[in-house]
Amino acid sequence: MKVGLIGNDLKNNFTKEVSEAFGLENYQMEEMGLKSLVNLIQSKDFEGINITFPYKKTVTKYIDVLSDIAKKAQAVDTIVVKDGKTYGYNTDYSAFTYMMKKHNIDFTNKKVLIIGNGGTSSAVQAVASDYGAKEVVVVDIVTGDGAISYVECYAKHLDSDIVINACPVGMSPYIEFEPIEMKLFSKCEAVIDIIYNPILTMFGLDAQECGIKRIIGMEMLVAQTKRAVELIKGIEISDQKFDEVLHQTLAKNCNIVLIGMPSAGKTTIGHMLETRLNKRFIDMDDVVREDTKMSIPDIFARSGEAGFRKLETLTAMKLSRMNNVIIGTGGGTIKNKINMDFLRLNGIIFFIDRDLENLITSDPNRPLSSSQAAVAKLYEERYPIYQKYATEIVSNNDNIEDTVQEIIKSYHKIVDDAIK
């Protein structure tokens, strides 16, 4: 390995694609134990490597020269070989500082709660202290080394002004979990997430629904990788290139989720988007049929609507772990909030709005759409829920090509708006 990433579990890591987008060729990712990593560092047989969980703190003692920031954070995430020596840097510090300044997060005289006590947390703690935090509180499942327990956190620190998640809880594939309940933090003004997969975690979604400003972790990943590539290649990368790579990374990995009434055109539109955006189209009902080896009417006949809705939730969770796909939902997927919560983690929601008179009113494969009256009743019940969950509403009553083009245009605009 000449350039690459070393860590313990790299299955859901985007660093390779981001590094290569910044021009770092032949980038490799390798999972290895500490002994093998130390041997690699001491061999100096590489150009530059990135270090991730759980080795950022441990490797500091095996490096010849530490940067001032790496010494302050007591953690290293980038190692470069120059003139026969290893140089250790902490790019998390600069990346987090960038993200903080970009979003006008002011730590001055604030109580800052940081979740997790690993290498990334060390850098975040240093930034918060350097930028004037009144108090920095660290909570972790393992107490000691400056970290308090969750019991103490809930008992004494619900008045935190800024909450930062620097632990892996909620990271793919365990997207259903969140490290802390943000609705209890009534004074909180901003939430910053270090996790980037899923793009929006349950932690971030919880903050968003509480009306708290939230910042996604993808920005920090791209900022951290930019700085690492600069150090490894000895170059300077422009802010314009950073913006391009951030948009490219988000646009590639974000899903498109299509909601709407049965026969609104979700499947046809999904397949048309598939060829234009190079994202695979997946129909949720098809996944249910494949997983159960049963038809939808048979599931309704055997397990009722309640049984089908449970299968739908399991499918929503399964698909929400994916990236770079288009998901066509069933007409009633929106009835269960948890379905939409899962699908929003990696997805932008488009409501395909088709007028009632244009909907099919009898379909043997849709047990709840058996007549014109049944469809009209569903339309009246569901329309406000579709509106509630839609990031964007697009009409599909005239030219379907226009609808597809509107989705593509809106998709890129929403990605741009998310990173401004």
Side-chain angles (χ1 to χ4, degrees):
M1 174 187 287
K2 292 301 178 183
V3 292
L5 175 69
I6 308 294
N8 190 36
D9 184 358
L10 306 177
K11 289 190 290 293
N12 299 291
N13 194 292
F14 294 165
T15 304
K16 176 179 170 63
E17 70 175 78
V18 179
S19 297
E20 291 178 344
F22 279 123
L24 198 57
E25 299 176 350
N26 302 313
Y27 194 90
Q28 300 176 53
M29 299 202 302
E30 187 171 343
E31 298 178 2
M32 63 173 65
L34 178 60
K35 184 177 180 180
S36 297
L37 174 56
V38 171
N39 288 339
L40 175 63
I41 293 171
Q42 293 177 338
S43 76
K44 299 180 174 64
D45 187 23
F46 58 91
E47 181 181 347
I49 55 174
N50 298 126
I51 306 297
T52 190
F53 180 83
Y55 302 126
K56 290 183 181 184
K57 288 185 175 182
T58 313
V59 298
T60 56
K61 58 188 174 183
Y62 301 105
I63 296 169
D64 297 324
V65 182
L66 293 178
S67 71
D68 290 342
I69 291 176
K71 289 177 184 175
K72 178 182 291 188
Q74 280 300 295
V76 163
D77 55 51
T78 302
I79 306 172
V80 178
V81 175
K82 293 184 293 187
D83 303 322
K85 292 183 178 180
T86 51
Y87 290 77
Y89 303 92
N90 189 296
T91 64
D92 284 334
Y93 183 101
S94 60
F96 187 80
T97 301
Y98 158 82
M99 191 162 64
M100 174 198 83
K101 291 181 176 179
K102 178 181 177 183
H103 293 278
N104 299 312
I105 303 298
D106 185 5
F107 288 124
T108 307
N109 295 321
K110 302 290 176 62
K111 176 186 276 195
V112 179
L113 176 68
I114 301 172
I115 308 167
N117 200 26
T120 302
S121 174
S122 296
V124 173
Q125 291 171 47
V127 173
S129 297
D130 287 350
Y131 282 86
K134 176 178 65 178
E135 184 179 0
V136 177
V137 179
V138 179
V139 58
D140 196 46
I141 54 172
V142 179
T143 58
D145 193 22
I148 65 170
S149 69
Y150 279 90
V151 171
E152 186 174 348
C153 172
Y154 283 121
K156 299 179 181 178
H157 299 291
L158 295 181
D159 61 342
S160 298
D161 300 296
I162 298 169
V163 178
I164 303 159
N165 180 32
C167 82
V169 176
M171 185 167 63
S172 185
Y174 306 108
I175 59 170
E176 65 271 32
F177 299 110
E178 53 185 317
I180 211 159
E181 292 185 55
M182 283 312 305
K183 62 178 176 288
L184 301 176
F185 291 80
S186 59
K187 282 191 62 183
C188 185
E189 60 191 50
V191 155
I192 306 173
D193 208 343
I194 306 303
I195 290 174
Y196 56 83
N197 188 11
I199 295 167
L200 176 64
T201 61
M202 282 292 186
F203 167 72
L205 181 61
D206 190 9
Q208 178 177 293
E209 295 200 331
C210 291
I212 302 170
K213 180 178 184 176
R214 59 110 182 102
I215 302 168
I216 61 174
M218 188 68 81
E219 291 187 41
M220 183 162 167
L221 169 71
V222 177
Q224 182 268 334
T225 306
K226 171 182 176 289
R227 182 60 185 144
V229 174
E230 288 177 330
L231 291 166
I232 292 170
K233 296 189 71 174
I235 60 172
E236 186 173 335
I237 298 171
S238 69
D239 291 341
Q240 180 182 352
K241 182 63 175 178
F242 171 84
D243 291 340
E244 289 174 4
V245 172
L246 179 55
H247 179 97
Q248 172 187 321
T249 306
L250 274 172
K252 176 183 177 183
N253 289 289
C254 195
N255 301 331
I256 290 178
V257 180
L258 306 177
I259 64 173
M261 286 288 290
S263 75
K266 300 186 295 289
T267 301
T268 302
I269 290 168
H271 283 300
M272 292 172 72
L273 289 169
E274 184 175 39
T275 58
R276 289 160 172 79
L277 294 176
N278 196 29
K279 293 178 181 285
R280 182 163 64 101
F281 174 69
I282 302 173
D283 186 293
M284 281 185 62
D285 284 352
D286 285 348
V287 176
V288 172
R289 282 188 281 263
E290 182 179 337
D291 288 349
T292 63
K293 304 296 187 290
M294 295 172 67
S295 69
I296 302 299
D298 285 347
I299 294 171
F300 267 77
R302 186 161 184 166
S303 301
E305 183 178 359
F308 174 76
R309 296 299 173 203
K310 181 61 178 178
L311 291 169
E312 198 170 50
T313 295
L314 294 174
T315 303
M317 183 191 298
K318 175 181 178 179
L319 297 184
S320 66
R321 295 189 180 103
M322 296 182 177
N323 297 100
N324 198 30
V325 295
I326 300 161
I327 301 171
T329 64
T333 303
I334 45 85
K335 292 179 67 176
N336 193 341
K337 181 179 182 296
I338 191 63
N339 296 344
M340 300 310 301
D341 285 350
F342 283 133
L343 293 170
R344 285 188 287 175
L345 299 186
N346 269 324
I348 297 172
I349 314 294
F350 287 88
F351 169 28
I352 309 302
D353 186 6
R354 192 168 178 83
D355 292 344
L356 178 59
E357 58 266 26
N358 294 327
L359 299 174
I360 296 172
T361 56
S362 60
D363 185 341
N365 294 312
R366 297 185 171 103
L368 299 181
S369 304
S370 56
S371 67
Q372 186 174 0
V375 172
K377 185 173 184 295
L378 289 178
Y379 186 88
E380 182 179 0
E381 292 173 351
R382 294 177 180 177
Y383 195 87
I385 311 177
Y386 292 133
Q387 290 179 308
K388 172 184 175 182
Y389 287 116
T391 310
E392 194 77 16
I393 300 173
V394 291
S395 173
N396 185 34
N397 290 300
D398 299 310
N399 187 335
I400 196 169
E401 180 63 40
D402 291 342
T403 303
V404 171
Q405 290 303 320
E406 183 179 350
I407 292 173
I408 294 172
K409 182 179 178 181
S410 295
Y411 178 69
H412 286 289
K413 183 179 184 302
I414 291 165
V415 170
D416 275 339
D417 289 346
I419 59 181
K420 285 179 180 177

